């Protein structure tokens, strides 16, 4: 199979959920197939990134879109595109140069199938692609924007998020009719997509985890009272979740377990988050490896109220045998069972009580952790890459059958 994979934004470093998912599936496919990666990104050309991505994926093509000029430049960039019917997160990643490259690569008769990685790249594809084309939908973008609008505190941002949510719904619904196959990452996301476009050919390819890489070191967390959150702290959903946890949940936990410690691990924490730093709250920031933190944590928390896609970090914590307390939204789309391999709680009081119970009960922690480890073992990336490959083959077969009718 000869595959074109179009990625908006840099794929390296592999430090976000979407990047982790794309990178591991691409690596799995590249072991058996010929993969051409087109990676384009905002900003000036980055020679270091270009060289690194070609080492990972020989023959990769990179395109730098140019710099928008800092915060003021980004505001002007947004204002110029505001009148367009397409949402800004789509127009931001639309480029005449990229469109031309995609069109040329799709015209290659040796190409078998193409993948649009995330909705944001889709305007760079022809309305009617000449090759079988698959849309890889890591999130239901319109649902994500709707939740952003619901929980945003800044009135201006709340209004703008509402506008973007409406634009995104219209764009997302229309885009799904353009692709031969669509990949969702959970049954929940699939059902939301089918509500928008009932005839869309949506298949679920589950999220995964590198089970061997996250193998636990149980001795490291013996006696631990550390509660851990993991996630990119420049992502609105994570900022809202940590703020919610620190303001409404953590005080209840510390009152019950005075020696408990909360760690927030993730890149670029803003002032909204660093202000919570205290003797019991450590804002760690970005790290080279999350493994030492996972291996030392007693409880892993996912207090998210805004979501979409699936939570890779939950499977990572499961593989590391850390018991998890999450909101229902935080675990949305995952194959988990409340009370068995995870604990779900949707209000501050029950969330705090669940964490306190696990901190106080080592045997309960162990039971949840072992069940979680068994769940994670079913979702190794090698299995997930095979599932994705089957979708690509189906797109190729269906397109061939339609062309010979």
């Amino acid at each position: 199979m000869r595959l074109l994979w179009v990625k908006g934004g840099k794929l390296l470093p592999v430090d976000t959920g979407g990047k982790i998912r794309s990178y591991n599936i691409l690596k799995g496919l590249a072991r058996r197939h010929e993969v051409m990666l087109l990676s384009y990104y905002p900003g000036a050309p980055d020679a270091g990134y270009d060289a690194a991505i070609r080492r990972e994926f020989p023959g990769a093509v990179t395109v730098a879109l140019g710099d928008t000029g800092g915060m003021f430049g980004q505001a002007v960039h947004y204002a110029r595109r505001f009148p367009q019917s397409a949402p800004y997160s789509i127009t931001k990643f639309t480029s005449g140069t990229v469109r031309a490259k995609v069109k040329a690569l799709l015209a290659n008769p040796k190409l078998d199938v193409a993948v649009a990685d995330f909705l944001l790249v889709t305007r760079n594809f022809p309305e009617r692609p000449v090759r079988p084309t698959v849309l890889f939908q890591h999130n239901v973008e319109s649902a994500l924007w709707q939740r952003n609008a619901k929980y945003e505190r800044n009135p201006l941002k709340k209004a703008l998020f509402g506008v973007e949510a409406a634009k995104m719904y219209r764009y997302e619904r229309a885009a799904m009719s353009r692709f031969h196959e669509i990949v969702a990452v959970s049954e929940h996301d699939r059902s939301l997509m089918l509500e928008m476009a009932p005839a869309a050919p949506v298949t679920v390819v589950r999220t995964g985890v590198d089970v061997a890489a996250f193998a636990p070191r149980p001795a490291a967390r013996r006696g631990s009272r550390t509660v851990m959150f993991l996630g990119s702290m420049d992502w609105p959903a994570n900022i809202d979740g940590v703020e919610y946890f620190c303001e409404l949940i953590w005080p209840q936990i510390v009152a019950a377990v005075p020696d408990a410690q909360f760690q927030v691990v993730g890149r670029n924490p803003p002032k909204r988050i660093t202000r919570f730093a205290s003797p019991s709250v450590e804002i760690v920031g970005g790290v080279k490896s999350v493994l030492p933190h996972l291996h030392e944590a007693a409880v892993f928390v996912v207090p998210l109220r805004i979501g979409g896609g699936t939570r890779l970090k939950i499977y990572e914590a499961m593989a590391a045998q850390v018991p998890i307390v999450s909101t229902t939204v935080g675990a949305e789309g995952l194959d988990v069972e409340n009370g068995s391999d995870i604990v779900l709680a949707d209000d501050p009081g029950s969330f705090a009580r669940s964490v306190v119970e696990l901190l106080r009960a080592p045997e309960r922690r162990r039971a949840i952790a072992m069940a979680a480890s068994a769940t994670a073992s079913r979702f190794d990336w090698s299995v997930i890459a095979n599932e994705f490959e089957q979708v690509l083959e189906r797109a190729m077969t269906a397109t061939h059958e339609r062309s010979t009718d």
Side-chain angles (χ1 to χ4, degrees), residues 40-77:
Y40 69 101
Y41 52 88
D46 184 340
Y49 171 75
D50 295 349
I53 199 68
R54 289 181 185 121
R55 285 194 296 270
E56 293 280 356
F57 301 97
V61 175
T62 58
V63 177
L65 300 182
D67 201 341
T68 56
M71 291 185 64
F72 177 76
Q74 290 179 24
V76 172
H77 197 253

Side-chain angles (χ1 to χ4, degrees), residues 135-185:
L135 171 59
F136 188 9
Q137 273 281 59
H138 299 246
N139 304 295
V140 180
E141 296 292 339
S142 54
L144 189 61
W145 280 98
Q146 287 162 7
R147 286 175 177 163
N148 281 337
K150 179 179 179 180
Y151 290 107
E152 176 56 49
R153 298 181 180 186
N154 182 293
L156 177 59
K157 286 185 177 180
K158 188 179 185 71
L160 292 175
F161 285 168
V163 172
E164 292 299 312
K167 287 184 176 182
M168 185 62 76
Y169 182 86
R170 292 191 295 270
Y171 181 85
E172 193 166 24
R173 180 175 57 185
M176 285 192 289
S177 67
R178 295 169 48 199
F179 292 86
H180 300 98
E181 292 283 342
I182 300 166
V183 173
V185 297

Side-chain angles (χ1 to χ4, degrees), residues 352-363:
R353 287 191 296 273
S354 298
V355 174
V356 169
E357 179 189 0
L358 289 173
L359 288 174
R360 287 176 169 173
E363 290 305 314

